[in-house]
């Protein structure tokens, strides 16, 4: 590894740790350079700004995850018509494996939780750029697996399915607390199987129209007025 690459990794490692603890806004460039053991010029040379560091720290972990997702999806489709379970497995498994990494996983997920709750315009742009193609590919695969679902309903269920993953990944301690330790996020295989089974059932569920006054229908609107 070159000295330049070493310096970049030192900065990104320090950023991942500090951003996970304090968010981007709560970390000064001075604190970042001090933690990394580099000078301010190195940050500006490699990343341009603190926001540039945040983007690079995010992309460093996310891009390999998305590459693996697409590889798993390609493999599932090459072996025949991919069903809902195999598509969801390809979507969830790489992220769960990273989250379970004792070296980087928990820290990166805490940083993502900060990004998720304290978004800036530059982070919103990064989310769109890094995930747009992946979402398009998985939407197409799920549409082929469930051709009777409308695109609107498919996207609604994708939103819910991604929410299950995000909630599980970004707050593993709460997952353990809410289930009295019955659900252990460090059990990657068990968590993956449970998530895939649960979300696949949701994708296959019928589309009933809620009656007026029920929790899913007009009653919600009436309660908010």
């Amino acid at each position: 590894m070159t000295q330049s690459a070493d310096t970049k990794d030192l900065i990104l490692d320090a950023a991942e740790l500090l951003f996970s603890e304090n968010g981007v806004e709560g970390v000064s460039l001075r604190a970042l350079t001090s933690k990394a053991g580099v000078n301010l010029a190195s940050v500006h040379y490699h990343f341009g700004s603190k926001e540039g560091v945040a983007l690079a720290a995010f992309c460093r972990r996310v891009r390999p995850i998305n590459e693996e997702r697409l590889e798993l999806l390609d493999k599932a489709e090459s072996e025949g018509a991919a069903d809902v379970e195999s598509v969801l497995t390809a979507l969830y498994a790489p992220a769960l494996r990273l989250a379970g990494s004792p070296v980087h996983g928990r820290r990166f997920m805490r940083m993502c939780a900060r990004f998720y709750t304290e978004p800036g315009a530059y982070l919103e742009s990064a989310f769109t750029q890094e995930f747009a193609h992946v979402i398009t590919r998985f939407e197409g695969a799920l549409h082929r697996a469930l051709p009777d679902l409308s695109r609107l309903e498919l996207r609604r269920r994708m939103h819910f399915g991604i929410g299950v993953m995000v909630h599980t990944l970004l707050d593993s301690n709460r997952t353990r607390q809410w289930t009295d330790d019955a659900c252990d996020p460090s059990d990657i295989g068990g968590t993956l199987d449970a998530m895939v089974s649960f979300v696949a059932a949701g994708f296959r569920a019928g589309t009933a129209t809620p009656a007026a006054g029920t929790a899913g229908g007009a009653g919600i609107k009436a309660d908010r007025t």
Side-chain angles (χ1 to χ4, degrees), residues 4-222:
S4 178
D6 279 337
T7 301
K8 289 178 69 174
D9 281 334
L10 286 171
I11 296 169
L12 294 178
D13 288 343
E16 193 172 83
L17 174 61
L18 295 176
F19 292 161
S20 72
E21 295 175 345
N22 304 294
V24 177
E25 293 302 318
V27 177
S28 67
L29 277 175
R30 176 173 294 182
L32 179 58
T33 55
S34 176
K35 187 68 177 178
V38 301
N39 57 41
L40 184 60
S42 296
V43 173
H44 288 302
Y45 175 76
H46 290 293
F47 303 106
S49 64
K50 183 174 66 173
E51 289 75 17
V53 176
L55 287 174
F58 176 72
C59 293
R60 178 173 65 156
R61 306 285 185 214
V62 164
R63 286 178 181 170
I65 290 175
N66 283 341
E67 289 170 4
E68 185 181 358
R69 282 171 167 154
L70 295 175
E71 289 171 2
L72 290 173
L73 183 59
D74 287 341
K75 184 174 185 294
E77 292 183 322
S78 71
E79 294 172 350
D83 61 12
V84 177
E85 284 80 5
S86 61
V87 176
L88 291 175
T89 297
L91 179 64
Y92 293 156
L96 283 170
R97 280 194 283 270
L98 175 63
S101 166
V103 179
H104 304 295
R106 292 289 298 279
R107 189 170 67 190
F108 177 67
M109 291 304 163
R110 287 198 302 269
M111 186 182 77
C112 285
R114 288 283 189 174
F115 288 179
Y116 191 74
T117 57
E118 305 169 11
Y122 63 98
L123 289 174
E124 292 290 345
S125 176
F127 280 119
T128 300
Q129 180 177 332
E130 297 300 322
F131 288 103
H133 177 59
V134 176
I135 293 300
T136 298
R137 283 288 314 279
F138 276 86
E139 180 182 337
L142 286 166
H143 178 66
R144 289 187 289 275
L146 298 165
D148 293 336
L149 274 185
S150 69
R151 286 285 185 177
L152 175 61
E153 186 60 27
L154 180 67
R155 288 175 179 174
R156 190 202 312 268
R157 297 183 189 198
M158 285 184 68
H159 174 72
F160 295 153
I162 291 170
V164 168
M165 176 180 64
V166 169
H167 183 74
T168 301
L169 291 174
L170 300 192
D171 201 350
S172 59
N173 287 333
R174 184 169 295 176
T175 300
R176 188 177 283 109
Q177 291 167 2
W178 281 6
T179 62
D180 292 328
D181 292 326
C183 182
D184 180 3
S186 66
D187 175 12
I188 305 302
T191 302
L192 177 62
D193 289 345
M195 285 174 57
V196 168
S197 177
F198 176 79
V199 176
F203 267 103
R204 290 197 174 97
T207 54
T209 302
T214 65
I220 290 180
K221 184 175 181 179

